[in-house]
Amino acid sequence: MADPNRSIVAPAFELSEDQLAVLTAVMDTFVAQLNDKEIQEMIEQLCGHDNSIHTPEDIKEFAKLSNTGIDSLPHVKVFLNRALAADKRQELAMILSLLSKRAGSFVLTGHYKPFQDLSREEREKVVLKWKNSYIPQLRLLYKLFFSTSCHPTYGAKGSELHRGMLYNVSHIESQDKPTPKERYEMLKYEDLVSEIKFDAIVVGSGAGGGVTAAELAKAGKSVLVIEKGVYYHEDEMEMFESNAFASMYEYGGFFSTFEGAVNILAGSVFGGGTTVNWSASLKLQHYVREEWAKQGLSHFVSPKFSRDLDRVFERIGASTAGIKHNVPNSLLIKGCQELGYHVADIPQNTGGIDHQCNFCFAGCKDGIKNGTMNAWLRDAKAHGAKFLDRSKVTRVLVEKGHAVGVEVIVNYDKKVTIRADQVIVAAGSLHTPNILTRSGLTNKNIGHNLRLHPCSITFGFFDQNVDCFEGSIMTAVSNVAENADNEGYGAKIEVPCLHPGSYSTVLPWRSAANHKNLMARYRKCAPLLILSRDKNSKGVVRTDNNGNMVVDYALSSHDRNSILVGIIRSLQILCASGARELHTGQFGVDPFIFNKGEESRVDNPRFEEWLKKVRKYGLPQDGAGIFCAHQMGSCRMGISPKISVAKPTGETWETKNLYISDASLFPTASGVNPMATTEAVALHVADSIIKSSTGSAASKL
């Protein structure tokens, strides 16, 4: 049966003839066939220079492509049906209907003609008016149409648009590739229909679930790991952007918060986020540990937690040995060194093996990255643990205040109950809260206090090729902006992975010709990631009437400033590393371009004046592209049920023998890529479970 978790459960997004006419007109506004003048201007800018990589024929072919010309509508429909919430579909259908009529079009565009009857030039002016509007809802409409028109089109496997970008990348197999590991055996429905009981059921196989399962199995417990995602052996992993998103990520790729302000990326596959993350392995910093300890959680400043972090690093092979920085990471390092900013290598969980596969976000086909699938879950398997993939836990069974098992839909088809003495929910910050709620828990903190590490991206275009899609993704970090408020909150600056679909939607769109120009210069672009540590934004996880996971998130002024401080620093870094043209993700800020013969310097007066514009514009609501790939804190631990969901041991306040063991336990945002911290927290939770079990057994003697 097909995986229902790859799309939002809602009636299919069907369009009338008029609505479809508007949608295709929108699509051809963003990805349009350029006119002769625009084509000639692109040729003059991109061809015939010492650093040119395109021929005039390349540009002509690329410039003439449009969304309808390459039949992108099927990809766009899939995109909308997988990622657009039910009520948002109704809103979009209403907007398309309004735009298809003269009266509605006049209200939204200022033209008496239906949107589909406007010329391309008129449509562009309308879209830019939405983008730069003082009304957040119109800026949001621009964001929706932009992402809908570009991401599925440029991200499609084998897209004709890739030729114009000179994108022809494939997985590079490591010469140090280890011998392929044997497949995990997954239980089937038939294995579960008879009375079956485990000592412990672990819901989720990611950073928290994998570690917990390994520790409990090694302690002699019978363990079942249940994963709603699919298990892929390395041989089955597909190294393509669209395929990876569709098969390994929540809702099949990026999806937005309910308000549409933040786009979220989250793994949903055997091994969880550790299967698809970018290998970055960073320890929780001292000031965050101290912050958590001040909340009564003294464990985080204990020698035990330090040892657990060291143990995590040892098990996953996290070190800086074997790192080979790709060009964007090298430019980050160069820029920081020029300015005297902090910069350091990021430990990789690759056992010191050189790993430049180009596709870490699609799983590790070489079996080098030590996500839980290659490490902790192997330990669990060696000690007798069992595994069940493609199965969603609907609720934890609770009797007389104790967890006694789970109800699960096996292989997305048949419901069974499985008994256990203890249940550990490690479904991640997006799903653990909803499992608890469906199980009857009522603690007011469940699903609240969600933290996301909101991100933005800046871009530097260079004379030389950068090829941001090649090599290891994230191997260097600067902490220069990490303490923007002098209280431990700010932003890290790292390097992101941007293959065509993602790249196409993180740059603001200024016109069809301008966007195609930037897409054609893909290989010249170095992106920098601003990863903020959110302090007081309001984040909530809940379910809608169809049972879909929904995220509400309102970015606070404080956290906007953290991102903005990171944006400024990242632009200075790109400038110092030699960028000739700089862009932000802010809708209302034009790019900065150094004149021919003008040196790229941060003390250039024009550049300094431009940075003032960047600061002044800031990050207005829906006025910039914001996204995240980390989710934390939605079932935080604490010293009282008034402020937390779980005890310092990870056990829920409400239900005995029901534990949480994932990043949802974090009291606040970690400020660093959370995998290593999650695994260290899971070691602590597993120790607590084992000690509790030992004490319980002793009391019965």
Side-chain angles (χ1 to χ4, degrees):
M1 186 175 179
D3 182 353
N5 303 300
R6 300 303 162 201
S7 60
I8 289 173
V9 176
F13 188 58
E14 301 291 347
L15 299 175
S16 68
E17 187 175 336
D18 287 344
Q19 291 169 332
L20 189 59
V22 173
L23 179 60
T24 53
V26 167
M27 291 165 53
D28 276 348
T29 304
F30 287 98
V31 183
Q33 179 177 337
L34 305 187
N35 60 41
D36 291 342
K37 180 183 177 183
E38 292 167 329
I39 294 173
Q40 187 58 38
E41 288 175 349
M42 276 189 70
I43 290 173
E44 290 174 1
Q45 182 176 355
L46 302 179
C47 302
H49 309 291
D50 291 341
N51 61 339
S52 296
I53 56 177
H54 289 87
T55 67
E57 289 70 28
D58 292 334
I59 298 302
K60 288 178 183 177
E61 179 185 355
F62 183 51
K64 290 179 180 178
L65 297 176
S66 67
N67 255 323
T68 54
I70 59 175
D71 192 24
S72 297
L73 185 59
H75 299 297
V76 169
K77 284 184 174 180
V78 169
F79 179 85
L80 291 170
N81 274 300
R82 73 159 182 80
L84 201 60
D87 43 4
K88 296 299 181 182
R89 296 180 192 195
Q90 295 174 0
E91 291 178 17
L92 178 57
M94 181 185 69
I95 290 169
L96 293 174
S97 293
L98 286 172
L99 288 169
S100 71
K101 308 299 181 186
R102 298 170 73 90
S105 180
F106 178 71
V107 171
L108 290 171
T109 72
H111 292 275
Y112 283 107
K113 291 187 291 186
F115 185 86
Q116 65 269 34
D117 293 340
L118 300 177
S119 68
R120 190 192 120 208
E121 181 182 8
E122 290 172 327
R123 297 198 310 270
E124 283 199 359
K125 289 180 179 178
V126 167
V127 167
L128 291 173
K129 186 172 74 172
W130 293 341
K131 172 180 170 242
N132 298 313
S133 173
Y134 67 91
I135 302 173
Q137 290 83 352
L138 290 179
R139 297 198 296 266
L140 185 59
L141 181 61
Y142 154 79
K143 286 174 66 174
L144 173 61
F145 281 153
F146 176 35
S147 60
T148 299
S149 299
C150 291
H151 193 281
T153 301
Y154 278 99
K157 181 180 177 181
S159 172
E160 294 178 52
L161 293 162
H162 293 171
R163 290 200 297 272
M165 300 172 66
L166 302 182
Y167 172 83
N168 185 25
V169 65
S170 59
H171 168 255
I172 297 177
E173 185 173 299
S174 172
Q175 294 183 351
D176 297 322
K177 176 180 177 180
T179 302
K181 296 179 175 67
E182 64 178 358
R183 291 185 62 88
Y184 285 90
E185 290 187 12
M186 296 291 151
L187 296 179
K188 300 179 178 62
Y189 173 76
E190 293 75 20
D191 301 319
L192 301 167
V193 289
S194 59
E195 284 293 325
I196 186 171
K197 183 178 180 182
F198 293 87
D199 293 330
I201 291 175
V202 180
V203 183
S205 61
V211 171
T212 308
E215 294 303 291
L216 297 184
K218 285 192 283 186
K221 289 182 176 289
S222 59
V223 176
L224 172 65
V225 178
I226 302 176
E227 169 58 51
K228 75 177 176 63
V230 180
Y231 165 55
Y232 295 100
H233 187 267
E234 287 81 357
D235 292 341
E236 299 169 322
M237 293 176 177
E238 296 186 85
M239 303 290 105
F240 300 100
E241 181 182 24
S242 58
N243 297 52
F245 283 155
S247 60
M248 293 184 164
Y249 288 81
E250 199 71 48
Y251 292 152
F254 281 101
F255 65 97
S256 70
T257 57
F258 183 75
E259 300 79 9
V262 181
N263 288 323
I264 299 174
L265 194 64
S268 179
V269 65
F270 191 69
T274 72
T275 296
V276 295
N277 70 14
W278 299 350
S279 299
S281 305
L282 292 165
K283 292 182 178 179
L284 193 68
Q285 291 169 282
H286 68 92
Y287 57 86
V288 183
R289 294 174 61 174
E290 291 163 3
E291 180 185 77
W292 293 4
K294 288 177 182 177
Q295 297 185 21
L297 301 169
S298 59
H299 169 71
F300 291 105
V301 292
S302 69
K304 172 66 164 58
F305 184 68
S306 297
R307 290 194 298 271
D308 283 347
L309 283 170
D310 290 341
R311 187 176 161 206
V312 166
F313 264 50
E314 180 180 0
R315 181 64 190 92
I316 67 177
S319 75
T320 56
I323 287 179
K324 289 187 179 178
H325 297 294
N326 66 0
V327 177
N329 281 280
S330 298
L331 291 170
L332 169 60
I333 294 168
K334 177 184 176 182
C336 288
Q337 290 174 340
E338 288 285 335
L339 297 169
Y341 292 170
H342 166 274
V343 68
D345 289 353
I346 298 177
Q348 309 284 292
N349 61 332
T350 56
I353 298 175
D354 173 25
H355 190 44
Q356 304 180 73
C357 76
N358 305 337
F359 283 95
C360 261
F361 70 94
C364 189
K365 197 170 183 66
D366 292 337
I368 292 173
K369 180 170 67 178
N370 291 311
T372 58
M373 195 174 81
N374 278 348
W376 303 100
L377 292 172
R378 289 287 170 189
D379 298 342
K381 179 178 181 295
H383 288 83
K386 304 297 182 184
F387 305 94
L388 176 66
D389 74 336
R390 299 180 298 123
S391 300
K392 182 176 180 179
V393 170
T394 53
R395 64 187 178 99
V396 177
L397 304 176
V398 179
E399 296 176 1
K400 298 180 180 179
H402 289 66
V404 296
V406 299
E407 179 183 84
V408 56
I409 302 175
V410 177
N411 300 151
Y412 315 133
D413 187 21
K414 298 178 180 178
K415 186 179 293 185
V416 300
T417 58
I418 308 172
R419 308 286 287 189
D421 293 329
Q422 291 159 326
V423 176
I424 301 90
V425 182
S429 293
L430 299 181
H431 288 286
T432 289
N434 294 332
I435 291 175
L436 298 185
T437 301
R438 291 196 301 266
S439 304
L441 277 70
T442 59
N443 183 299
K444 66 179 182 180
N445 297 293
I446 294 173
H448 290 261
N449 310 302
L450 177 70
R451 296 290 174 257
L452 293 180
H453 285 166
C455 298
S456 188
I457 294 181
T458 54
F459 310 86
F461 287 87
F462 291 75
D463 288 337
Q464 73 271 26
N465 288 352
V466 174
D467 293 338
C468 67
F469 52 85
E470 288 189 345
S472 301
I473 299 171
M474 185 178 280
T475 56
V477 61
S478 175
N479 294 346
V480 67
E482 72 176 7
N483 194 22
D485 66 350
N486 295 317
E487 294 182 359
Y489 288 85
K492 300 288 191 292
I493 300 174
E494 300 170 318
V495 171
C497 171
L498 291 179
H499 285 253
S502 302
Y503 175 78
S504 72
T505 50
V506 289
L507 280 167
W509 186 93
R510 297 180 176 90
S511 71
N514 177 269
H515 191 256
K516 276 200 172 171
N517 185 299
L518 295 177
M519 295 305 294
R521 296 161 62 200
Y522 173 58
R523 295 188 61 189
K524 304 285 186 179
C525 179
L528 289 183
L529 175 75
I530 296 90
L531 185 148
S532 70
R533 183 181 180 223
D534 40 339
K535 181 179 184 179
N536 53 12
S537 295
K538 300 297 183 184
V540 176
V541 181
R542 59 181 174 86
T543 56
D544 65 13
N545 293 333
N546 294 309
N548 297 299
M549 173 270 296
V550 177
V551 174
D552 297 311
Y553 193 82
L555 191 62
S556 69
S557 297
H558 173 280
D559 296 339
R560 291 176 194 274
N561 184 66
S562 292
I563 298 172
L564 187 60
V565 171
I567 287 173
I568 297 295
R569 292 293 193 182
S570 68
L571 292 168
Q572 293 169 327
I573 291 167
L574 287 167
C575 175
S577 63
R580 304 299 300 161
E581 182 173 323
L582 298 112
H583 296 244
T584 74
Q586 300 160 294
F587 294 170
V589 177
D590 290 331
F592 179 84
I593 303 174
F594 283 99
N595 295 325
K596 187 175 182 180
E598 192 176 21
E599 187 179 357
S600 297
R601 292 177 54 139
V602 296
D603 59 354
N604 178 296
R606 289 196 309 111
F607 179 68
E608 291 177 332
E609 286 301 310
W610 180 70
L611 288 183
K612 291 179 182 178
K613 294 179 182 178
V614 172
R615 289 190 187 95
K616 183 177 180 180
Y617 182 81
L619 291 171
Q621 182 181 344
D622 298 316
I626 304 294
F627 66 95
C628 82
H630 302 155
Q631 302 88 37
M632 304 149 283
S634 56
C635 289
R636 66 184 180 186
M637 61 167 53
I639 59 172
S640 165
K642 294 181 179 179
I643 59 170
S644 61
V645 178
K647 302 173 185 177
T649 60
E651 187 176 35
T652 61
W653 289 104
E654 291 181 71
T655 305
K656 295 288 293 180
N657 294 330
L658 175 58
Y659 289 80
I660 300 168
S661 189
D662 57 27
S664 71
L665 286 173
F666 289 11
T668 63
S670 62
V672 294
N673 307 61
M675 175 181 66
T677 304
T678 305
E679 295 191 352
V681 168
L683 286 174
H684 168 64
V685 173
D687 285 344
S688 300
I689 294 170
I690 293 166
K691 289 176 183 176
S692 172
S693 301
T694 303
S696 177
S699 67
K700 295 177 182 178
L701 296 177

